[in-house]
Amino acid sequence: MTRLSISQITTVTQSFADDLDAYRAAGADGIGIWEMKLQDDSLDRFRASGLESAAAIPAVPSILPLPLMEGPDDPAERVEAIRACVRRLAPFEPACVLFLTGPGGDYATILEGIRAIADEGRACGVPVALEPIQREFAQHWTTVSSLDEAAELVDQAGADAGLMYDVWHLWREPVEQIARHRDRIYGVHVADWRDPTRNTNDRVLPGDGIVDYAPILEALRWDGLFDLEIFSDPELPGSLWKQDPRHLAERGIERLRAAVTASD
């Protein structure tokens, strides 16, 4: 049975509690937890909701600093923040906690960070996964932009870490890479690619863009949660973040379901 979830950045203006209510009302099976939204009562509310936890995102999401996000400049502080997130999120039993490399050429620091994050995940019983970011905006986020590149980096680190597959980031990469690394994929994010895409935060709902989902889904053979993740610049015309969050959750689940079941 196809299972669907919504990553909390999609309804960025809502609280954790409101997200739970909206996602359940929309018919979602899960929630992609963002650490920045957690409150003291979030775990109790989550357990009462009956939702599953999809891929979770740390408040400090990368090993190296990100030009477009605030956070510590010191990679060691950033890695410790990700490790603390793994510990904080362990009771939610997420499908994985994802992380990014951040941009830059300090590979020794990246490899050391991957090992430390993976060690924390293993100690806490929480899978961790490196997410590659698509090439057009890679300079803002990453050193890896494909499953092959991400897998090679994890292998170089000798770390017990998986991979995150994000349709918006990887839809133009060869689907053969999916087959090659299918068993290492711990989470799947879904959004569509607006044509033309105006900046790094300009995603659209499945079916409103130009992604051909059929070959991706066939290659993935995914039986976990398909997690809708929408970034949408509120300064741009037509931004999804300007819409009513509950309505967006409802419509998002409808579009997500249509996209991932069309080839059934």
Side-chain angles (χ1 to χ4, degrees):
M1 183 179 69
T2 301
R3 293 178 297 131
L4 311 176
S5 64
I6 302 176
S7 188
Q8 287 189 283
I9 199 66
T10 304
T11 52
V12 66
T13 59
Q14 285 196 143
S15 68
F16 190 95
D18 287 341
D19 282 344
L20 291 173
D21 291 342
Y23 300 174
R24 282 187 306 176
D29 304 291
I31 178 173
I33 294 173
W34 280 65
E35 185 186 14
M36 67 181 187
K37 284 199 175 188
L38 292 179
Q39 301 293 326
D40 291 343
D41 63 349
S42 291
L43 181 59
D44 290 339
R45 287 181 179 274
F46 167 73
R47 287 173 171 166
S49 75
L51 296 175
E52 300 177 59
S53 180
I57 294 82
V60 176
S62 65
I63 295 168
L64 301 181
L66 299 174
L68 301 182
M69 287 185 66
E70 296 181 359
D73 291 329
D74 181 5
E77 289 184 43
R78 300 181 69 86
V79 169
E80 182 49 45
I82 297 171
R83 295 178 65 183
C85 175
V86 171
R87 295 191 294 271
R88 185 180 187 187
L89 286 168
F92 293 84
E93 300 182 29
C96 64
V97 171
L98 70 81
F99 64 95
L100 315 177
T101 65
D106 189 353
Y107 284 97
T109 297
I110 290 171
L111 293 174
E112 183 180 348
I114 292 173
R115 285 190 286 268
I117 294 165
D119 287 348
E120 192 68 52
R122 185 169 55 251
C124 296
V126 177
V128 298
L130 174 60
E131 182 174 35
I133 303 295
Q134 57 82 39
R135 299 180 190 282
E136 186 170 340
F137 303 111
Q139 73 274 14
H140 300 305
W141 306 103
T142 192
T143 63
V144 291
S145 294
S146 70
L147 290 177
D148 278 355
E149 292 169 3
E152 182 179 1
L153 201 60
V154 170
D155 290 345
Q156 287 176 10
D160 182 13
L163 308 174
M164 188 76 193
Y165 186 88
D166 188 309
V167 173
W168 192 82
H169 289 303
L170 301 181
W171 69 279
R172 288 177 289 194
E173 299 297 318
V175 293
E176 291 78 15
Q177 293 191 34
I178 300 175
R180 202 153 39 237
H181 304 293
R182 185 186 299 120
D183 294 342
R184 303 175 71 170
I185 294 173
Y186 291 174
V188 173
H189 278 155
V190 183
D192 215 330
W193 183 271
R194 183 195 297 272
D195 186 24
T197 290
R198 297 166 291 183
N199 68 24
T200 189
N201 290 343
D202 192 27
R203 306 183 189 188
V204 291
L205 295 178
D208 288 344
I210 60 173
V211 173
D212 181 2
Y213 288 92
I216 293 170
L217 295 169
E218 183 178 353
L220 278 172
R221 302 178 193 170
W222 181 245
D223 61 0
L225 289 162
F226 287 95
D227 197 25
L228 180 72
E229 187 187 53
I230 298 294
F231 288 80
S232 191
D233 188 337
E235 300 300 318
L236 294 175
S239 170
L240 295 177
W241 278 357
K242 290 197 231 177
Q243 296 184 7
D244 174 74
R246 293 184 72 89
H247 176 66
L248 179 59
E250 216 172 272
R251 196 157 60 93
I253 286 293
E254 289 175 2
R255 294 297 185 88
L256 179 60
R257 192 181 309 280
V260 301
T261 59
S263 59
D264 286 357

